[in-house]
Amino acid sequence: MLFIVRDPRDIVVSWVDFVYHSAAYPRMRKWNAYLRSAGSAAHPDDASRITSTLLSLPRSGIKKFMSWLDSPACLTVKFEELYSELAIDDVARSSFPVLHRICDYLGLPRKTAAELDVLGRGLTSSGRGRKVGIYKERMTPHHFDLLRSEAFQELVVEFGYEPTPLHTPARTNGAARRLASRLSRSLRGGAIRRQAAEAGGSASTE
């Protein structure tokens, strides 16, 4: 058994892109086409689709695979590590530790990433350039709050990834921007008051 794990936070975005944007999903089954239509009506924008998927992933049955992580009958590799090797644009490179470990495990001849040429060829491929850490670009502060729930943090940690921090860069940057804005307004107000004092009049800073 070969088990490829992926950061659950990226799985959320990948699933949203597959269900709502891929040509393959509605063609696989008539029910899929119906689900896309119904889902689009209920969740018309990217943010609401991410929210819905984020909430449903812990209840999807994904926890059933946790026992595979340490199973002696299963080879577990991380998607991110395998992808980093497959995406290497260097035909002269011959060292592919993760890829060759998979080949050896499955009893297949070792091949280079260029020889395999598999990126972007799967039915579930989104065509999106960035595959790793995409959730950081697509998720809002509200999504990060949901990621910190115990149910989702458990998925992240059990599958071998760093938990979502209590304070994300996006939130910190937002606070910094708000502080800078207040400081800027204060400085402008002070300048206006000084000008008014020098002119012997008064001015409003509202």
Side-chain angles (χ1 to χ4, degrees), residues 190-203:
I192 291 173
R193 286 192 293 273
R194 284 196 302 274
Q195 291 173 359
E198 292 171 357
S202 63

Side-chain angles (χ1 to χ4, degrees), residues 20-193:
Y20 292 99
H21 303 298
S22 72
Y25 180 77
R27 294 177 182 174
M28 288 178 172
R29 299 185 66 86
K30 292 180 179 179
W31 182 242
N32 285 11
Y34 171 80
L35 288 177
R36 172 180 283 189
S37 177
S40 297
H43 310 290
D45 54 59
D46 190 58
S48 61
R49 293 168 184 174
I50 289 177
T51 297
S52 174
T53 305
L54 196 160
L55 292 173
S56 63
L57 185 62
R59 304 190 301 267
S60 67
I62 191 172
K63 290 184 179 180
K64 296 178 181 178
F65 296 100
M66 288 181 179
S67 61
W68 292 17
L69 293 170
D70 301 313
S71 172
C74 180
L75 174 65
T76 300
V77 299
K78 283 189 173 182
F79 167 87
E80 294 79 7
E81 295 174 353
L82 176 60
Y83 178 79
S84 68
E85 292 186 2
L86 295 176
I88 291 174
D89 187 17
D90 182 3
V91 295
R93 175 166 174 165
S94 59
S95 176
F96 299 90
V98 178
L99 176 58
H100 289 168
R101 184 155 54 99
I102 293 173
C103 291
D104 294 345
Y105 179 76
L106 298 177
L108 300 173
R110 289 186 173 185
K111 291 188 177 183
T112 66
E115 289 173 331
L116 281 177
D117 189 26
V118 295
L119 289 187
R121 297 186 179 278
L123 288 176
T124 62
S125 176
S126 66
R128 180 176 10 89
R130 182 173 179 178
K131 308 291 186 183
V132 179
I134 186 61
Y135 76 93
K136 297 176 183 178
E137 297 178 3
R138 294 273 290 277
M139 290 190 180
T140 66
H142 171 64
H143 294 139
F144 276 89
D145 287 338
L146 296 177
L147 290 178
R148 296 185 190 97
S149 70
E150 182 177 345
F152 208 95
Q153 286 280 44
E154 180 185 7
L155 291 183
V156 173
V157 173
E158 288 291 347
F159 281 103
Y161 297 89
E162 290 296 319
T164 305
L166 295 180
H167 301 286
T168 64
R171 293 177 67 87
T172 301
N173 290 341
R177 286 194 296 270
R178 289 191 295 272
L179 177 60
S181 178
R182 290 197 298 269
L183 179 59
S184 178
R185 289 196 300 271
S186 177
L187 291 174
R188 286 199 304 270
I192 291 173
R193 286 192 293 273

